[in-house]
């Protein structure tokens, strides 16, 4: 019976031992993952320099673990302070446990815990009270950790997650926050201080209890000296080092970009293409420049710089002051939508070259034209009659650009913009219409840099990227290499602001193809340009859309643009774009108009020709719309044709025959123009066309009448062109005779509110009539 009871007791004991062991084993299960994935998001530049470090969800500074060697000084200091037999035990240091038991029994209190680094890793995985049962769990967990991880991995886990006072977790955050340096740059004194900090992080930090902290650090240094790890001089110098009394703040570079990347990407470490040195340098230039602009009521700016060859973004400045709450400094000016002003014009001219509509030397009309209710004007409200395409683009003339867009096609230009990467067009082409080329659409700086980079890459468009492993979009050849090159050479010649006006006189001159833009109402000022190395965009304005006369592309954005461009590194072996091989050819064009002349005229020896470059892949250049063969009698008193000429009294010449509106403006500027001669009166053919054209207004115009400074409504200057010399016109408004004009045909009128008809007739019976609408503004 006793044997049976004994066996039963043994069995019950074994069962209890198994149950208890199983319970302890279950309680000591390691969490998976060992530590929660809750680290600071770290954003770095192309070289690994910190741009911004974010707090984790618990408002702690804790760097994500990285596969890198632990600095020797820190490693030696931690092991000698915490666990000198770390590399020799299995997670439990039995000698340390025995010593701790003896010390605790002698003192009748807890003196030493005998925790190894591995046991401390176990404790860090989950907060536990200091009890015997929890100690047992830590021991078992330590055994499991030793069985799972290498010694180097365990040490890294400890150093990455150990508390270093306040909200600082991990050796890397501690090194940067207390000393402002990477862990591999620590001195022996600094490494020793970090080694002792986790021992009592809540009681001893560099900002309080500094004497006790110094005693512990110095004690460790003495231990290192006694063990022959450091010499006496090193020990004394390390002890002389000051204990830090404050935390070193992290630098903040590219705050708008880093915030955006953190919100978009679920990554602990985000590597970008930003060049931190360049970012800081350009940011300094922007801040200094905007201090002056703020005195003029202009408060916001943005700058974006990309590598032209790779599309990598190197500088990203969303605003001149991220912390300026009064002026909405946290708005990202690189990504917000603003009116484009004139910065889209170069692309239209390049596309028009590909279509064969123009070359840089082509003459295009510079006159006011009404397209229904839309009447574009040049910025200075002046017109020259005709200008070369080069001159029109350099001077950013509005009337020629709108006329060119009308010829090229709004839909075709709209399609190019969307295909090239402009992401902000939310209407269809018809919804934007002709104003699209003058700022009628809102664009992002990001897209504009991508657009100009595409022009700088000889018409190949592929976007930008800012992540180190990012890619540009699909490469698309949307403009021919030759037309892109010709356009770049035009906008390289724009007049620069201030002292930059004389840039060609300097030996250190650097070329860049660039363009300014100013939105309607002076709300947005742009300067965007591209060199073989850099593509740069500058925007100046107010985020709230406030108008200001100081906001203009040339006066506000361009000075900062060139300040930035001049500060960037340059390639001394390539100051500008090389001529593309195999995509340019020479053609013969008229020296007077820059268009092709028909072979018939050339064969008769009447055209003056010169060489011009065009893209080989462009459509054939159109024939001159202005140069015409004129047949007259020898005296040159009237024109004749095949139905009325006398071959014995016949003269033939090639003349520039411009439309009446163009003739009127050329005459105003004192230019000699061909004056149409009357046709031979007894000719049976139809008369040679109507010599009258309305300059302003045009058919179906809507004219708003403002009040002048004196409070009275201003009169409208009605203008009519006539190709005849000393012509006389008779004017009628709504069939009421207004009088006549001779030579120069203008009348100041103030019609009533509503629809009207204006009729003019010359003394030979030619006449023209238009309808328009007057809107009286109250």
């Amino acid at each position: 019976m006793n044997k049976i009871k004994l066996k039963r007791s043994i069995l019950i004991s074994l069962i209890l031992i198994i149950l208890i062991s199983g319970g302890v084993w279950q309680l000591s299960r390691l969490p998976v993952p060992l530590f929660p994935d809750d680290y600071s998001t770290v954003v770095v530049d192309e070289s690994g320099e910190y741009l911004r470090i974010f707090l984790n969800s618990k408002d702690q500074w804790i760097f994500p673990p990285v596969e890198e060697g632990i600095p020797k000084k820190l490693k030696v200091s931690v092991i000698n302070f915490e666990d000198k037999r770390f590399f020799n035990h299995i997670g439990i240091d039995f000698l340390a446990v025995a010593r701790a038991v003896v010390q605790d029994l002698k003192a009748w209190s807890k003196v030493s815990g005998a925790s190894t680094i591995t046991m401390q890793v176990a404790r860090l995985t989950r907060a536990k009270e200091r009890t015997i049962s929890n100690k047992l769990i830590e021991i078992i967990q330590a055994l499991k950790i030793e069985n799972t991880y290498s010694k180097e991995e365990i040490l890294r886990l400890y150093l990455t997650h150990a508390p270093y006072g306040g909200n600082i977790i991990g050796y890397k955050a501690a090194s940067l926050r207390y000393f402002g340096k990477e862990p591999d740059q620590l001195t022996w004194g600094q490494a020793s201080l970090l080694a002792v900090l986790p021992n009592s992080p809540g009681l001893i930090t560099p900002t309080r209890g500094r004497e006790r902290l110094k005693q512990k650090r110095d004690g460790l240094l003495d231990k290192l000296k006694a063990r022959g790890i450091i010499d006496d001089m090193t020990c004394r110098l390390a002890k002389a080092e000051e204990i830090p009394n404050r935390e070193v703040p992290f630098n903040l570079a590219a705050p708008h970009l880093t915030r955006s990347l953190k919100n978009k990407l679920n990554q602990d470490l985000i590597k970008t293409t930003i060049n931190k040195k360049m970012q800081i340098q350009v940011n300094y230039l922007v801040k200094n420049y905007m201090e002056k602009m703020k005195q003029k009521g202009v408060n916001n700016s943005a700058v974006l710089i990309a590598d032209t060859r790779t599309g990598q973004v190197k500088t990203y400045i969303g605003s001149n002051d991220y912390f300026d709450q009064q002026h909405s400094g946290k708005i990202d000016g690189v990504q917000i939508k603003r009116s484009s002003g004139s910065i889209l014009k170069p692309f239209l001219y390049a596309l028009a070259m590909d279509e064969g509509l123009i070359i840089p030397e082509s003459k295009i009309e510079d006159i006011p034209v009404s397209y229904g209710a839309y009447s574009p004007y040049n910025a200075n409200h002046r017109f020259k009659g005709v200008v070369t395409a080069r001159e029109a683009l350099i001077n950013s003339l509005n009337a020629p650009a709108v006329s060119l867009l009308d010829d090229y096609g709004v839909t075709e230009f709209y399609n190019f913009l969307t295909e090239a990467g402009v992401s902000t067009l939310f209407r269809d082409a018809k919804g934007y219409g002709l104003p699209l080329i003058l700022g009628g659409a809102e664009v992002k700086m990001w897209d504009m840099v991508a657009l100009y980079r595409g022009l700088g890459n000889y018409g190949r468009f592929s976007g930008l990227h800012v992540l180190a492993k990012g890619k540009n979009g699909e490469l698309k050849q949307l403009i021919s290499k030759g037309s892109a090159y010709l356009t770049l050479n035009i906008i390289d010649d724009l007049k620069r602001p201030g002292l930059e006006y004389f840039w060609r006189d300097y030996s250190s001159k650097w070329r860049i193809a660039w363009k300014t833009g100013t939105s309607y109402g002076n709300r947005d000022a742009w300067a965007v340009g591209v060199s073989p190395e850099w593509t740069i965009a500058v925007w100046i304005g107010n985020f709230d859309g406030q108008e200001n006369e100081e906001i203009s592309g040339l006066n506000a954005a361009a000075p900062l643009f060139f300040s930035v461009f001049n500060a960037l590194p340059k390639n001394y072996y390539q100051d500008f774009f090389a001529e593309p091989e195999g995509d340019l050819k020479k053609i013969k064009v008229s020296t007077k108009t820059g268009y092709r002349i028909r072979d018939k005229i050339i064969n008769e020896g009447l055209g003056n020709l010169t060489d011009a470059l065009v893209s080989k892949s462009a459509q054939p250049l159109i024939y001159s719309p202005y140069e015409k063969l004129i047949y007259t009698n020898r005296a040159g008193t009237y024109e004749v044709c095949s139905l009325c000429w006398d071959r014995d009294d016949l003269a033939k010449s090639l003349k520039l025959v411009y439309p009446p509106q163009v003739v009127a403006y050329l005459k105003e500027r004192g230019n000699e123009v061909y004056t149409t001669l009357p046709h031979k009166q007894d000719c049976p053919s139809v008369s040679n066309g109507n010599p009258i054209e309305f300059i302003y207004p045009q058919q179906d115009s809507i004219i708003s009448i403002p009040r002048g400074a004196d409070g009275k409504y201003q009169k409208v200057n009605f203008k009519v062109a006539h190709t005849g010399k000393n012509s006389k016109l008779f004017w009628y408004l709504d069939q009421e005779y207004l009088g006549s004009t001779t030579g120069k045909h203008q009348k100041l009128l103030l019609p009533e509110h509503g629809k009207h008809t204006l009729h003019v007739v010359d003394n030979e019976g030619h006449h023209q009539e238009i309808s328009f609408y007057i809107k009286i503004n109250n």
Side-chain angles (χ1 to χ4, degrees):
M1 186 70 179
N2 290 333
K3 289 182 178 180
I4 295 174
K5 287 183 179 180
L6 180 60
K7 289 180 179 179
R8 187 178 296 170
S9 298
I10 293 173
L11 180 62
I12 292 172
S13 298
L14 288 172
I15 292 172
L16 287 174
I17 291 171
I18 292 171
L19 289 174
I20 293 171
S21 299
V24 172
W25 188 262
Q26 286 297 317
L27 288 173
S28 62
R29 283 187 304 174
L30 293 175
V32 180
L34 199 58
F35 290 94
D37 187 11
D38 187 13
Y39 301 101
S40 295
T41 297
V42 180
V43 188
V44 299
D45 82 339
E46 60 183 355
S47 302
E49 295 284 330
Y50 301 119
L51 296 175
R52 189 173 185 178
I53 302 167
F54 293 86
L55 293 164
N56 72 353
S57 65
K58 298 177 182 178
D59 289 334
Q60 297 170 325
W61 302 112
I62 174 170
F63 277 70
V66 291
E67 294 297 325
E68 61 182 21
I70 300 167
K72 178 182 177 181
K73 292 176 184 176
L74 182 63
K75 181 178 181 179
V76 169
S77 298
V78 169
I79 290 174
N80 277 273
F81 182 76
E82 292 284 0
D83 189 357
K84 66 181 180 181
R85 284 178 287 274
F86 171 70
F87 285 103
N88 299 316
H89 61 62
I90 60 172
I92 307 167
D93 187 345
F94 293 103
L95 290 176
V97 171
R99 185 191 68 244
V101 170
V102 172
Q103 290 177 345
D104 291 351
L105 288 175
K106 285 183 178 180
W108 285 99
S109 65
K110 181 177 172 57
V111 175
S112 176
S115 289
T116 63
I117 289 176
T118 312
M119 292 169 65
Q120 292 187 59
V121 170
R123 185 184 309 133
L124 290 170
T125 61
R126 187 171 52 200
K128 312 175 186 70
E129 291 184 17
R130 297 294 183 92
T131 63
I132 294 176
S133 60
N134 282 335
K135 194 73 171 180
L136 178 61
I137 291 172
E138 287 176 11
I139 291 172
I140 298 174
Q141 285 182 328
L143 294 173
K144 291 181 177 181
I145 290 171
E146 288 278 346
N147 190 50
T148 306
Y149 299 94
S150 69
K151 288 290 186 178
E152 289 290 335
E153 290 173 330
I154 294 169
L155 183 58
R156 186 179 293 110
L157 285 169
Y158 169 72
L159 288 171
T160 299
H161 299 91
Y164 283 85
N167 65 343
I168 300 173
I169 307 296
Y171 74 103
K172 196 159 192 175
S175 179
L176 290 166
R177 294 295 289 184
Y178 292 140
F179 306 113
K181 59 173 65 173
E182 291 290 341
D184 59 358
Q185 298 173 342
L186 293 172
T187 65
W188 278 108
Q190 293 165 343
S192 296
L193 186 141
L194 293 187
V196 303
L197 257 179
N199 190 253
S200 301
L203 299 177
I204 305 173
T205 74
T207 56
R208 64 180 184 274
R210 299 174 72 241
E211 284 303 317
R212 176 65 180 141
L213 180 60
K214 187 176 187 306
Q215 291 174 9
K216 297 192 75 170
R217 181 202 66 178
D218 292 352
L220 174 57
L221 288 169
D222 287 334
K223 189 181 295 185
L224 294 175
K225 174 188 170 185
R227 292 174 179 172
I229 297 171
I230 60 175
D231 58 28
D232 181 65
M233 177 63 73
T234 301
C235 182
R236 284 191 284 116
L237 289 174
K239 287 182 177 181
E241 292 180 20
E242 292 288 333
I243 301 295
N245 57 11
R246 65 179 182 86
E247 293 183 19
V248 179
F250 288 127
N251 290 328
L252 179 60
H256 299 84
L257 173 65
T258 52
R259 178 189 61 189
S260 174
L261 292 177
K262 178 184 182 296
N263 293 338
K264 289 179 182 178
L265 304 175
N266 184 25
Q267 297 178 16
D268 295 327
L269 178 63
I270 301 174
K271 297 180 179 180
T272 72
T273 61
I274 295 295
N275 182 306
K276 185 177 181 181
K277 182 179 178 181
M278 186 185 297
Q279 175 81 23
I280 292 172
Q281 182 182 19
V282 174
N283 194 61
Y284 174 79
L285 294 173
V286 172
K287 280 183 174 291
N288 282 353
Y289 181 78
M290 289 306 297
E291 287 301 316
K292 302 173 185 175
M293 293 303 296
K294 282 184 176 182
Q295 297 173 12
K296 301 176 182 179
V298 184
N299 300 303
N300 302 114
S301 63
V303 176
L304 186 67
I305 303 173
D307 186 308
T308 301
R309 292 156 297 190
T310 66
Q312 294 180 349
V313 173
K314 296 302 178 184
T315 298
Y316 189 114
I317 299 175
S319 73
N320 44 292
D321 189 349
Y322 183 75
F323 298 102
D324 185 359
Q325 295 185 0
Q326 181 182 356
H327 300 112
S328 306
K330 286 186 171 59
I331 289 179
D332 187 350
V334 171
Q335 300 297 339
I336 62 170
K337 297 183 288 186
R338 308 295 298 198
S339 169
S340 64
S342 297
I343 58 177
L344 297 178
K345 288 178 181 176
F347 304 94
L348 172 62
Y349 281 76
L351 292 166
M353 290 183 207
D354 274 346
E355 197 64 21
L357 298 176
I358 58 168
I359 60 173
E361 296 81 10
S362 297
K363 292 287 182 69
I364 54 180
E365 295 177 11
D366 178 29
I367 57 175
V369 178
S370 293
Y371 304 86
Y374 179 55
S375 301
Y377 269 75
N378 294 330
N380 60 6
H381 283 251
R382 296 177 184 175
F383 302 92
K384 294 183 177 181
V386 289
V387 293
T388 65
R390 173 183 291 275
E391 184 182 358
L393 183 52
I394 286 175
N395 293 308
S396 196
L397 300 178
N398 293 335
V402 173
S403 176
L404 191 60
L405 179 59
D406 190 41
D407 290 339
Y408 180 75
V410 174
T411 299
E412 289 74 11
F413 187 62
Y414 175 94
N415 290 341
F416 159 77
L417 293 176
T418 55
E419 199 170 356
V422 177
S423 61
T424 52
L425 301 176
F426 61 94
R427 302 186 186 96
D428 58 16
K430 187 177 179 181
Y432 287 104
L434 294 172
L436 175 62
I437 196 62
L438 302 185
E442 292 184 328
V443 297
K444 294 194 303 185
M445 177 178 282
W446 181 277
D447 294 346
M448 292 302 97
V449 169
L451 213 59
Y452 273 78
R453 174 182 172 256
L455 189 66
N457 277 307
Y458 298 97
R460 294 168 294 183
F461 297 81
S462 61
L464 311 172
H465 69 277
V466 74
L467 294 176
K469 294 184 178 180
K471 295 181 180 179
N472 304 324
E474 176 189 355
L475 187 65
K476 301 176 182 178
Q477 186 82 52
L478 302 180
I479 296 173
S480 71
K481 294 180 181 179
S483 294
Y485 172 76
L486 293 172
T487 303
L488 291 165
N489 270 273
I490 292 175
I491 56 177
D492 166 52
D493 207 28
L494 266 67
K495 294 179 177 62
R496 300 186 182 183
L499 293 176
E500 284 291 323
Y501 183 86
F502 304 100
W503 69 280
R504 293 185 187 276
D505 297 335
Y506 303 142
S507 59
S508 58
K509 62 186 180 183
W510 293 102
R511 299 174 64 186
I512 186 167
W514 68 294
K515 184 73 181 72
T516 59
T518 306
S519 68
Y520 177 78
N522 296 88
R523 292 183 175 90
D524 306 284
W526 290 92
V528 191
V530 58
S531 73
E533 293 176 282
W534 307 113
T535 308
I536 308 166
V538 170
W539 173 87
I540 302 286
N542 291 308
F543 285 148
D544 61 6
Q546 180 182 354
E547 297 183 18
N548 189 315
E549 291 183 357
E550 298 291 339
I551 298 176
S552 74
L554 185 62
N555 297 325
L560 178 57
F561 175 88
F562 281 103
S563 178
V564 169
F565 174 60
N566 292 335
L568 298 179
K570 309 291 194 305
N571 180 356
Y572 286 86
Y573 299 100
Q574 185 181 10
D575 71 329
F576 201 61
F577 299 95
E579 184 175 309
E581 294 183 8
D583 198 48
L584 285 175
K585 65 180 181 180
K586 288 183 179 180
I587 63 170
K588 296 291 185 181
V589 299
S590 165
T591 57
K592 294 182 178 180
T593 63
Y595 293 99
R596 284 196 300 155
I597 301 294
R598 295 186 181 277
D599 292 342
K600 177 183 176 181
I601 298 174
I602 296 174
N603 293 337
E604 295 187 22
L606 295 176
N608 294 321
L609 302 176
T610 187
D611 289 332
L613 288 175
V614 297
S615 171
K616 285 184 179 180
S617 52
Q619 294 294 318
L621 181 64
I622 63 174
Y623 291 110
S624 174
Y626 305 120
E627 286 161 300
K628 297 181 180 179
L629 281 174
I630 303 296
Y631 296 89
T632 67
N633 62 338
R634 291 185 185 279
T637 56
Y638 55 82
E639 291 186 12
V640 294
C641 66
S642 60
L643 297 177
C644 64
W645 63 38
D646 180 355
R647 293 192 177 275
D648 294 328
D649 185 23
L650 181 63
K652 180 169 56 176
S653 59
L654 187 66
K655 299 290 186 182
L656 284 179
V657 182
Y658 289 117
Q661 283 181 283
V662 173
V663 170
Y665 278 99
L666 290 174
K667 284 182 177 179
E668 283 185 10
R669 298 179 62 82
N671 295 314
E672 292 186 8
V673 293
Y674 173 73
T675 302
T676 304
L677 297 174
H679 202 80
K680 189 175 182 181
Q681 291 186 359
D682 59 357
C683 180
S685 68
V686 180
S687 177
N688 60 337
N690 195 330
I692 305 172
E693 278 193 21
F694 278 92
I695 299 176
Y696 186 82
Q698 295 190 355
Q699 182 65 31
D700 298 326
S701 293
I702 299 174
I703 305 170
S704 295
I705 308 295
R707 292 181 185 269
D710 57 1
K712 297 180 180 180
Y713 289 110
Q714 298 179 349
K715 291 184 177 182
V716 179
N717 190 15
F718 288 78
K719 297 181 179 181
V720 180
H722 194 292
T723 57
K725 187 181 292 185
N726 298 323
S727 57
K728 187 173 184 178
L729 289 181
F730 303 91
W731 297 62
Y732 298 85
L733 181 63
D734 300 329
Q735 299 183 350
E736 181 180 344
Y737 179 63
L738 301 177
S740 64
T741 55
T742 302
K744 188 175 182 180
H745 305 294
Q746 297 184 23
K747 274 193 176 293
L748 286 172
L749 304 174
L750 183 56
E752 296 179 350
H753 185 91
K755 189 172 183 179
H756 298 276
T757 300
L758 182 63
H759 186 97
V760 293
V761 59
D762 66 9
N763 49 15
E764 293 186 4
H766 299 110
H767 60 87
Q768 284 281 23
E769 181 178 284
I770 61 165
S771 297
F772 57 92
Y773 190 89
I774 294 292
K775 184 178 179 182
I776 303 293
N777 296 326
N778 296 325

